[in-house]
Amino acid sequence: KGGMDAMFKYIQTNLEYPKYKKDKGIQGNVYVRFVVEKDGRITRPEIMKSVDGSKNLDKEVLRIINSMPLWSPGENNGTKVSVYMTLPFQFKLK
């Protein structure tokens, strides 16, 4: 609820760069796919692309996805439907 802006704010507020990876200078993009069910629940999160040698970044992305509040489900001709979503998570050192 609140659209994409609310989702990005939720991610930005809650995402934690794993300290070990940050200290080692490991950065990159993790892509995750999941389903937004008809009732707004997030199910079946799956890492589609990872940063080489960094399972901790994958774990952090899955933690965020699994902790998200209910979404507004997709609709097709006025009927609520389950929808796949794919999101990039960028881990970049400043």
Side-chain angles (χ1 to χ4, degrees):
K1 303 215 163 66
M4 296 301 280
D5 289 339
M7 179 196 61
F8 288 128
K9 184 174 182 175
Y10 178 84
I11 291 170
Q12 183 179 14
T13 301
N14 293 285
L15 187 69
E16 296 177 17
Y17 207 128
K19 183 172 177 9
Y20 174 78
K21 300 304 177 187
K22 194 174 188 179
D23 291 347
K24 295 290 184 183
I26 295 174
Q27 55 186 354
N29 296 323
V30 175
Y31 292 84
V32 62
R33 181 174 74 170
F34 54 92
V35 176
V36 179
E37 298 289 351
K38 293 183 232 184
D39 62 2
R41 290 177 302 117
I42 304 294
T43 63
R44 296 183 265 167
E46 176 184 7
I47 299 297
M48 302 304 293
K49 182 176 181 271
S50 187
V51 176
D52 287 338
S54 186
K55 294 297 179 197
N56 288 345
L57 297 181
D58 296 353
K59 287 179 186 177
E60 178 60 10
V61 168
L62 291 174
R63 183 188 72 79
I64 291 294
I65 294 298
N66 286 318
S67 71
M68 282 189 170
L70 292 177
W71 283 42
S72 297
E75 290 189 20
N76 184 13
N77 295 323
T79 302
K80 293 180 180 180
V81 294
S82 298
V83 178
Y84 272 104
M85 290 283 299
T86 302
L87 293 177
F89 281 72
Q90 184 179 48
F91 291 89
K92 185 174 181 180
L93 297 170
K94 294 180 182 181

